[in-house]
Structures are given as C-alpha cells and as structure tokens.
Amino acid sequence: MKYPSLIIVLALAVGAFLIPAPDAPEPGPPAGVEDPPVSICAIEEGSGRTTEVVILSTVDGPTRLTLFASGESAGSIGQSTGASGSVTIPVVNVAAVGTVGGLIEMPASSSAAGTIVVGAESMSAESCAAIPTQQSFITGGSTIGGQPFELHLMNPYAGEAVVELVVQSEAGIESNDRFESVVVPARSSTVVDFAELIPGRETLSIAIETVKGRVLGVGRQGIDGESAVWKAVEGSQDWYLPIPKGGGSKRLVIGTPSNVEVEYQIDYYGPEGLEEAYLAGTLSPRGQNSFDLAAITEETAGVRIISTGPVVPILWINSEAGFAITTASAVEATRWFLPGAGALAGGQARAVILSVGIDGAIVSVRSLREQSLVRSIDLPADGVVEIGLEIADGYLIESSGPIVAMWVARRDNAGIAAMGVPILDG
C-alpha cells in the first residue's frame, strides 16, 4: 500500500505549485489560510542565453520558483528572501528548459520579481507580472531588415487558453490565419514568430484579446545580436515615463488598441520643471506615433502622457548605451522595487526617478543585499534625477511624495531599461 500513497503525495506536491484555471469556481481557503501571491515570468534558458530570477520583498519569508512547460512542472526550487528581503535564483540551477514560463510564489503581497537574461552579446530585463488581464496590448515591435520579433504567450493555469491577435503595421490590419484562435495549452507557452509570418514590417502593434482563459504576453525584439523584452499590458489614459540621459536613437512610441481615434497630450519634465501640453496629437484607430526624445534633450527628463482613450507608451533606446525597451508606468507610488537593478558585474547601472507630486520629496534608495547601503536625496517638485547603483539583488526606493522609478544598465555594448514595480499595499 505504500506505493499508491507515495503517488498521491507526489501528485499533491506538484499540484501545490500550479494555479487553477481562472474561470473555474474554487472553494474559499480555510479560515486563517491565504494562498500566497504569485507572479509570472518569461524564462529563456539555453541557446546561449541564461536567466536569473530576482525576488524582492519587504519581509523575510519563503518563496518558490516553478517552471511550467508541456502541461506540467519542468522543475521547482524553494528559497527564502532572508534578512535582506532579496534572493536571486539562476534558472540553470532548476532546469535547462528553453523558452518557458515561470510561476513564483511570493512571500507577501509587498513583493516583486524580475528576470535578467544574458547572452553572449545581449542582455535584457523585465519585471514579472501578476494575474494577466483579459485584454492586453503591446507596441514597438518590428521585423524590418530581417529583425526578429516574437510574442511569447504564457498560460500558467490548469485549463487551455485561446486568444485572438489583432495585428497592426504601417500596412494596416494584418491578415493571417495564425493570428486567429491562437491556442496556449494549459501550463505551457506558445511563441508567435512575426519575422516568419510578416517580415519587413517597420512598426507592429498587437492587441491580445482573450477568448478563453488568461495569458501573459511578452515581446522579444532583436537588433544586431542584442535583445529587448517587454510585457503586453492593459491600455490606460494616464502614463508616466522617466527618460535616462544619453543620445543616439531614443524614442517615445505611443500605440492604442482602440478602434477609434484617440487624442493625447504629452507633458514634459525638463531642466526648467514641468511644461504641460508640450506636445499633442491624434492616434488613428489601432495606430501608433513615435517621437525623437534625443532631439528634445540628451539630459535626464520625463514625460506624462494623457489621452482620451486607452494607449500604451514605451521607451525605445538604441544607442551607445545598448538596445533596450520598457513600458511606461500607469501608476505613481511612494515605494518602488527595482528587481535585478545593480546586479550586473562589470557593468554600470542607474536608477531614474521622476517626482510627480505638487511638492518636493525626500527619497531613500536602499540596496538589497547582505549589507545594505542607504542613500537619501532631496528631489524637487516635478524634478527628475539619476542615481548610480552598486551590485545588489535589487533596490527598494521609498519617498515622502509620489514618484515613478525605473532603472537602466550597460555592459560593453549591451543595455537594459526596466520600469520598477510599485508597492501599492501601503
């Protein structure tokens, strides 16, 4: 009788790492017991690239990374955030899995996770996501000149997911059978290769419309051996974006999933403070517009984008500091995590912090590692500043007023830009 018992125990252990289908009714947990908050990450391990998963928290508590592929767990590892409130997990210590999804059980709601992917000549970083929304949108992709662009769709749930992709390029709405009823099997991933399906497109925007289940979409863009990763997100009408210093190609791209025209206004945070309505314009249905930020200034700056309908803005950088893409933030907060920031040996990293309150703010920047370092700065109202970062698992930024924080990094000719994760539970 011991063998059937062992099978039951193993089945329960695996099931504990995987979340149920979102639409299925589930009984409530027993009194005093809560399911741990979870986060979903895009993982690349193999073909010359390796991923580290960084988990930050305001508490010392247990966390677990489970990789999911082909309908089941592909490996799992438990760790603790420890006294520093941080831990870094190399995926190679879990499994060699290719392009898959990762599910993280967090130690508390006031936690965040992110990934750093490093290749021979490339590196990228992105924060992990909570439960995906029903509809999401990603803009900024391109397949011009043979550039690779992929959309990685991840389904961590126990039920199959189906999505429809509405793809817009400079040629208009793209028609392809592969964009209709895209199936993402349970606890698996599907990768849509746009360079194969619609090559030669200079601009691509994709609305991910869920028919069944839920998925998280992540874009991967390659240019000359470098790569960038950024999430598909829900559209909003109010966004903030810090802009790091530097020249080269540095663009603000605004796209909309709406099938009607959307008007927008761009407020500019520059050396002289806030200049409202610095730029304004109209997006055509499901269209996108691009602005040359380096032509405005090569100094540290910021923008706010306000619109009459849902939009998603991104920052696109391709310069001497490397190639990177990150999405703006639809929220402001007084506390931010920067997972992975400062974790690159042999490189340079900086935090870019934008003050969006009516008053100035006192900002504390804390490295999360065995021996933390804390620095404080006075940030004026509508001000923006860059701060050098030391090697650490990540950073916790706390402020007396509302701010928006991101981080950028450079090593050799490869670059990173990643928006921070706001802590919204007080």
Side-chain angles (χ1 to χ4, degrees), residues 67-98:
L67 309 178
F68 56 89
S70 303
E72 60 184 15
S73 169
S76 183
I77 187 172
Q79 295 279 352
S80 172
T81 53
S84 67
S86 65
V87 64
T88 296
I89 303 176
V91 171
V92 69
N93 292 348
V94 185
V97 288

Side-chain angles (χ1 to χ4, degrees), residues 104-248:
I104 300 175
E105 297 175 27
M106 312 288 268
S109 58
S110 54
S111 304
T115 58
I116 299 176
V117 181
V118 177
E121 299 178 351
S122 68
M123 60 183 185
S124 61
E126 178 60 295
S127 60
C128 303
I131 303 303
T133 57
Q134 200 75 20
Q135 282 82 32
S136 58
F137 181 74
I138 189 167
T139 192
S142 177
T143 59
I144 195 76
Q147 297 172 1
F149 172 62
E150 296 178 342
L151 182 63
H152 182 189
L153 301 170
M154 294 171 285
N155 174 18
Y157 299 104
E160 177 184 270
V162 180
V163 301
E164 292 183 356
L165 305 180
V166 181
V167 182
Q168 174 93 8
S169 73
E170 68 273 15
I173 296 291
E174 298 283 352
S175 177
N176 192 299
D177 292 343
R178 288 286 304 275
F179 302 151
E180 303 173 4
S181 299
V182 181
V183 176
V184 188
R187 299 174 183 134
S188 298
S189 298
T190 296
V191 177
V192 182
D193 186 343
F194 285 88
E196 176 185 332
L197 297 175
I198 46 174
R201 303 305 195 268
E202 185 174 5
T203 62
L204 286 172
S205 298
I206 302 104
I208 304 170
E209 301 183 353
T210 303
V211 177
K212 177 183 178 183
R214 297 280 181 89
V215 300
L216 173 66
V218 170
R220 289 191 179 90
Q221 179 72 57
I223 291 183
D224 299 329
E226 293 190 68
S227 65
V229 176
W230 71 113
K231 297 191 298 286
V233 298
E234 189 174 16
S236 181
Q237 294 176 254
D238 197 353
W239 296 86
Y240 292 98
L241 179 64
I243 302 169
K245 64 182 177 182

Side-chain angles (χ1 to χ4, degrees), residues 41-54 91 98-100 114-126 152 218 220 225-229 323 340 344 407 411 414-416:
C41 306
I43 304 294
E44 293 180 83
E45 191 64 37
S47 300
R49 292 183 179 174
T50 187
T51 300
E52 289 186 339
V53 177
V54 182
V91 171
T99 301
V100 301
T115 58
I116 299 176
V117 181
V118 177
E121 299 178 351
S122 68
M123 60 183 185
S124 61
E126 178 60 295
H152 182 189
V218 170
R220 289 191 179 90
E226 293 190 68
S227 65
V229 176
F323 171 56
L344 300 171
W407 66 284
R411 186 168 65 186
I416 283 174

Side-chain angles (χ1 to χ4, degrees), residues 235-317:
S236 181
Q237 294 176 254
D238 197 353
W239 296 86
Y240 292 98
L241 179 64
I243 302 169
K245 64 182 177 182
S249 179
K250 187 168 59 176
R251 295 186 285 129
L252 169 67
V253 181
I254 307 174
T256 178
S258 176
N259 57 7
V260 298
E261 287 188 346
V262 174
E263 297 180 359
Y264 60 86
Q265 170 184 306
I266 300 175
D267 299 339
Y268 173 59
Y269 296 83
E272 305 302 321
L274 174 61
E275 186 174 346
E276 295 184 346
Y278 182 81
L279 294 169
T282 301
L283 290 169
S284 59
R286 299 190 184 277
Q288 68 166 243
N289 287 348
S290 178
F291 304 89
D292 184 355
L293 295 172
I296 298 173
T297 181
E298 295 188 3
E299 298 303 314
T300 308
V303 293
R304 181 183 185 182
I305 302 99
I306 306 170
S307 59
T308 59
V311 300
V312 173
I314 66 164
L315 174 65
W316 173 293
I317 301 173

Side-chain angles (χ1 to χ4, degrees), residues 347-406:
Q348 299 175 343
R350 309 187 309 275
V352 189
I353 305 170
L354 172 65
S355 173
V356 298
I358 59 175
D359 299 313
I362 300 175
V363 180
S364 169
V365 181
R366 178 186 297 272
S367 61
L368 300 180
R369 56 187 182 183
E370 287 188 6
Q371 294 187 2
S372 293
L373 174 67
V374 181
R375 285 169 290 172
S376 294
I377 59 171
D378 290 330
L379 188 58
D382 304 324
V384 58
V385 67
E386 294 193 30
I387 301 173
L389 303 177
E390 305 294 332
I391 293 177
D393 291 324
Y395 278 76
L396 171 63
I397 299 180
E398 299 179 291
S399 172
S400 61
I403 58 172
V404 178
M406 64 178 289

